[in-house]
Amino acid sequence: MRPSRSTIILLLILVFAAALRFYRIDAQSFWNDEGNSARIAERSLQLITEGAAGDIHPPLYYYVLHFWRGAFGSSELALRSLSAILGSVLVWLTYLIAKRLFAVKIGLVAALVAAIDPFQIYYSQEARMYMLLAVIGAASTLVLIQLLERWSIGRGVRGEEQPVSVSLRGRTSGARGKVGLSSLNLVILSLLYALGLYTHYAFPFVIVTHFLIVIAWALTDRKRLLRHVITWIGIGGAAGILFIPWLPIAIRQIATWPSTPDAIDTGAMLLDTMRLYVLGPTFPTADATLALLIAGFFVLVSLWNPDSFDEPQADETHPLPHALRSGSIVLWWLIPIALIFGFGLFKESYLKFLLIGSPAFCILLGRGIVTAFGIARNALQMPKELAGTPLLSFGWSIVMIFLVVLIALPTTTSLGNYYFDPKYARDDYRGIAQTITGLQHDGDAIILDAANQWEVFTYYYPDGPNVFPLPKPRPIDPAAIEAQLSDIVTKYKRLFVLYWGDSEADPQKVIESWLDAHTYKASEQWYGSVRFVTYAVPSVSSDKPTQLSGVRFGDHFVLDGYTLSTPLLAPGDILQLDLYWHADAIITDRYKVFVHMLDPNGKIVAQTDREPGGGLVPTTIWQPNQTMIDRYGVLIPADAAAGTYSIEIGLYDFNNTRLKIDAGGDALNLVRIVIASSSTSLRINSAKQSK
């Protein structure tokens, strides 16, 4: 039997969806939460259960990923492929729901919209539980729709009792078969609810949505309202019984979710939410206005037309009223948004929960597009002399094509941003590990300022020694942290520190403040939202600075002296420089200090630029005539040629305007250093290690 044209089109859409979800799937590093997934999946089921009890997510996704890992391996491609497959399944479920409620054509267009949806593609390439959450939500919605259809058929399409044989979309079943299938729907729906609860704590958003849909359906038959509502409550109750073993843990963990403390702009929130559904997280909201307006137009059109143009008679034969079918999709889309706003969860880390309603949005957008293209060739309360006019039909179709293109173009841009633009890349722990591997030598240590970076960092750095996850536990104990840091700097000469989630891991910046006061920050680089900083542990005392006669920068800054650890360095070493400043007045503007290493030709070969105190003591908080000891490290390039170099310093404002010095110019040539030859470097390093 030859497949139908719609089947062939659906298969092509699914292949296209899978291709987009697997394209460059391993191009980016795992970020923090993905690293947690990867390492948790390595454990036994018992250890996964115990770990999830201390995590912020229930264990089902980790169980599934554990077996997936056993079958396909632990690479980025292997672990992310689970989400990619689930993302493709979500496209298929979107088709099934749209087809069942409206028409085949609408199902196909909705599936195509879902296939290219940047929001879904983004999370289809992430080794986390969000696509599983969306798939279970869509599957349970499909089963609920089937259940409501069978209940409706049981009382007749338009309310009449039909105790004998009924037809549903071409399928005929007797009363016994109908009752049996309805009971099966009840069991499947209850199991899906339980699976959803064990997948993510946002799944109750789906359950609340379904409750409102059932209430709306029951109101169409008030005589049976109570019976049907009680039946659905029984479904939810059975799922709740299955979830009871995990319920105390869930209550404890949900209570730790922080709500948004500050007042937020509701209009901006709604605009950003719409941008997420239409163009995903990799398209600036400020540039999305036109596409959002067009998408909103198609969504409104989807609600206007009471019937699918693909099947004009569907509204008369479908067991569910048009208002209920359309309303159910609208509720599926809007209720999760309302609940996220209502519970104060509108923050970037929670917006992924909106994936629950993404299939509903794709259906509304797809139906709106189909409806809009059908307006000109179908009777829609237009004047009789205009209806079906070829010129009108052609003009309207051209306008609709143009509007679709205006959505498709930014969608393509959004996908391009995601696939290729480093600005939108996930946190690059892979790159950090590679950098450390290329730089490390004996005497190095690695500090993780958020202990939960351990899983993702050690995924890429599995055999590396001297890794210290700090702080443990939260909230941190400053005295205990400082004692740990003091112990570390007595054993190691160079520190690589990964700062991530500072506002939660170390809101008082205890770690960074201590390191800036006791070590020399040599370099700082961002890898996504991870700040990778290199520090040198002091090699000599800084008690006796070289005195200067007081070099004045601008009107109020005075450099009184400096300390240099040693003027003889090797490639790969960190120059250690202390600057002794004071200001003779209150400073109202913020300034940065630059420390440049210049070769004999005056070319900058290494530098560090930042605000004083490692960025934590800006000039605006300096007290007049109080000495400020400011530490700087400069990483000597590994390929630096042997010879004599100059160290030049100065200050500049946030407009990049340097302050003039009283001796003339805008930079002070402070001191000269010598970079040893490679053979001498070996002796220098050996001498340092023997100390």
Side-chain angles (χ1 to χ4, degrees):
M1 182 178 178
R2 294 182 59 186
S4 65
R5 184 176 65 175
S6 61
T7 301
I8 294 174
I9 294 174
L10 175 62
L11 290 175
L12 292 175
I13 291 173
L14 293 177
V15 169
F16 182 48
L20 291 176
R21 283 150 179 77
F22 277 95
Y23 179 62
R24 292 177 59 84
I25 193 171
D26 57 353
Q28 298 184 24
S29 165
F30 280 151
W31 73 290
N32 187 280
D33 287 3
E34 287 186 289
N36 292 343
S37 298
R39 303 310 299 273
I40 290 174
E42 297 173 357
R43 306 170 186 171
S44 66
L45 296 182
Q46 179 179 349
L47 290 178
I48 289 175
T49 304
E50 295 172 359
D55 190 25
I56 58 172
H57 297 296
L60 180 62
Y61 171 76
Y62 299 130
Y63 293 155
V64 176
L65 191 63
H66 169 81
F67 291 108
W68 191 270
R69 178 184 182 276
F72 300 104
S74 59
S75 69
E76 294 151 326
L77 169 61
L79 296 181
R80 285 175 171 160
S81 65
L82 172 60
S83 294
I85 294 295
L86 289 170
S88 302
V89 171
L90 187 62
V91 174
W92 176 59
L93 289 171
T94 301
Y95 165 78
L96 292 179
I97 294 171
K99 172 190 173 184
R100 191 168 196 103
L101 286 179
F102 303 112
V104 171
K105 181 185 294 185
I106 292 175
L108 292 173
V109 176
L112 181 59
V113 171
I116 63 173
D117 180 17
F119 190 21
Q120 293 189 22
I121 291 171
Y122 186 94
Y123 287 103
S124 293
Q125 291 196 344
E126 187 169 281
R128 295 296 282 168
M129 65 288 299
Y130 303 108
M131 290 313 300
L132 180 60
L133 170 68
V135 165
I136 295 176
S140 61
T141 300
L142 177 60
V143 175
L144 177 68
I145 291 169
Q146 293 172 336
L147 185 62
L148 295 180
E149 287 176 343
R150 295 186 184 282
W151 283 351
S152 295
I153 289 172
R155 71 179 194 218
V157 174
R158 298 300 176 189
E160 303 87 358
E161 294 294 338
Q162 291 188 353
V164 191
S165 178
V166 295
S167 175
L168 178 62
R169 295 290 178 124
R171 297 184 297 275
T172 304
S173 61
R176 182 178 300 176
K178 172 167 61 66
V179 172
L181 287 173
S182 180
S183 299
L184 181 60
N185 289 140
L186 297 177
V187 173
I188 293 175
L189 187 58
S190 183
L191 290 175
L192 286 171
Y193 283 170
L195 292 174
L197 292 172
Y198 276 106
T199 297
H200 198 276
Y201 297 127
F203 190 79
F205 294 175
V206 176
I207 296 177
V208 170
T209 301
H210 286 187
F211 174 72
L212 295 176
I213 292 173
V214 170
I215 290 292
W217 178 87
L219 288 174
T220 64
D221 182 15
R222 297 182 180 235
K223 294 180 180 179
R224 301 185 180 186
L225 186 151
L226 184 62
R227 187 182 74 184
H228 291 306
V229 171
I230 290 175
T231 300
W232 183 87
I233 291 175
I235 296 172
I241 292 173
L242 295 174
F243 192 64
I244 283 177
W246 199 260
L247 185 60
I249 298 171
I251 294 173
R252 184 185 73 238
Q253 292 173 339
I254 293 173
T256 66
W257 285 6
S259 60
T260 306
D262 303 323
I264 51 181
D265 185 339
T266 303
M269 284 193 310
L270 293 174
L271 187 65
D272 200 42
T273 299
M274 189 68 174
R275 184 266 309 177
L276 200 63
Y277 278 117
V278 178
L279 299 173
T282 59
F283 196 92
T285 303
D287 300 334
T289 304
L290 180 60
L292 301 189
L293 289 174
I294 295 171
F297 163 75
F298 282 125
V299 168
L300 291 176
V301 170
S302 76
L303 303 179
W304 175 28
N305 188 44
D307 194 13
S308 162
F309 290 111
D310 193 41
E311 297 179 7
Q313 74 283 5
D315 194 52
E316 294 298 322
T317 60
H318 199 287
L320 299 178
H322 162 263
L324 180 62
R325 286 180 278 140
S326 296
S328 297
I329 300 301
V330 172
L331 288 174
W332 183 14
W333 176 39
L334 294 183
I335 292 302
I337 299 175
L339 292 174
I340 285 176
F341 288 173
F343 287 113
L345 299 178
F346 189 86
K347 53 187 298 188
E348 185 176 357
S349 57
Y350 294 147
L351 293 184
K352 61 195 74 171
F353 300 174
L354 294 173
L355 273 172
I356 291 172
S358 179
F361 176 78
C362 293
I363 292 172
L364 291 173
L365 185 57
R367 186 171 187 234
I369 291 172
V370 172
T371 299
F373 274 99
I375 285 177
R377 69 175 192 272
N378 288 271
L380 197 65
Q381 306 299 324
M382 293 193 306
K384 188 174 182 180
E385 62 273 13
L386 293 180
T389 301
L391 182 60
L392 178 62
S393 298
F394 178 76
W396 180 264
S397 298
I398 292 298
V399 171
M400 293 304 103
I401 291 173
F402 181 67
L403 293 181
V404 170
V405 169
L406 289 180
I407 295 180
L409 288 178
T411 297
T412 303
T413 301
S414 179
L415 291 176
N417 290 342
Y418 171 60
Y419 289 135
F420 303 111
D421 192 338
K423 181 172 66 175
Y424 297 100
R426 294 175 175 86
D427 301 339
D428 189 10
Y429 283 93
R430 179 172 60 195
I432 293 173
Q434 291 171 348
T435 299
I436 291 175
T437 301
L439 294 174
Q440 68 183 3
H441 52 63
D442 292 341
D444 291 344
I446 301 163
I447 295 175
L448 311 176
D449 89 315
N452 58 349
Q453 294 182 92
W454 172 268
E455 286 82 2
V456 64
F457 180 70
T458 55
Y459 175 87
Y460 292 107
Y461 195 75
D463 302 319
N466 311 328
V467 181
F468 300 93
L470 302 174
K472 286 183 177 180
R474 295 184 190 179
I476 67 173
D477 179 350
I481 290 297
E482 291 174 3
Q484 288 179 276
L485 291 171
S486 296
D487 182 60
I488 291 171
V489 299
T490 62
K491 299 176 181 177
Y492 303 98
K493 294 301 181 184
R494 187 168 59 170
L495 308 175
F496 300 116
V497 183
L498 279 63
Y499 292 104
W500 178 80
D502 300 20
S503 60
E504 295 181 7
D506 185 9
Q508 303 303 317
K509 295 190 178 296
V510 175
I511 296 172
E512 188 167 6
S513 298
W514 193 95
L515 289 172
D516 281 319
H518 295 85
T519 65
Y520 294 85
K521 180 186 288 185
S523 64
E524 185 174 67
Q525 186 175 356
W526 287 91
Y527 290 79
S529 62
V530 182
R531 187 160 48 98
F532 175 58
V533 183
T534 303
Y535 295 91
V537 176
S539 56
V540 297
S541 172
S542 301
D543 294 337
K544 298 179 179 180
T546 298
Q547 298 292 331
L548 299 175
S549 58
V551 181
R552 183 173 292 274
F553 292 75
D555 295 329
H556 300 296
F557 293 102
V558 179
L559 181 66
D560 297 313
Y562 70 91
T563 298
L564 183 67
S565 60
T566 175
L568 184 61
L569 297 133
D573 282 349
I574 295 175
L575 178 144
Q576 302 173 18
L577 178 68
D578 293 277
L579 301 177
Y580 290 72
W581 300 95
H582 79 267
D584 58 14
I586 295 291
I587 306 299
T588 57
D589 296 319
R590 294 169 64 177
Y591 292 86
K592 291 184 178 182
V593 176
F594 65 84
V595 180
H596 292 168
M597 173 180 162
L598 307 178
D599 67 10
N601 297 318
K603 179 183 177 181
I604 298 175
V605 295
Q607 71 181 82
T608 183
D609 294 56
R610 65 172 180 271
E611 291 186 84
L616 300 179
V617 189
T619 54
T620 51
I621 68 172
W622 289 17
Q623 297 301 311
N625 298 312
Q626 181 180 6
T627 298
M628 168 64 190
I629 304 176
D630 196 15
R631 293 188 158 189
Y632 292 89
V634 179
L635 180 63
I636 308 301
D639 59 353
T644 301
Y645 294 78
S646 299
I647 301 301
E648 182 182 74
I649 70 164
L651 292 106
Y652 61 93
D653 62 21
F654 276 53
N655 293 318
N656 293 320
T657 301
R658 291 187 180 186
L659 295 181
K660 301 295 184 180
I661 60 176
D662 54 2
D666 56 13
L668 175 65
N669 197 314
L670 186 67
V671 68
R672 292 182 181 275
I673 64 171
V674 175
I675 304 299
S677 64
S678 57
S679 59
T680 307
S681 300
L682 294 175
R683 294 196 296 272
I684 292 173
N685 287 329
S686 298
K688 287 181 179 179
Q689 293 174 16
S690 64
K691 289 182 179 182

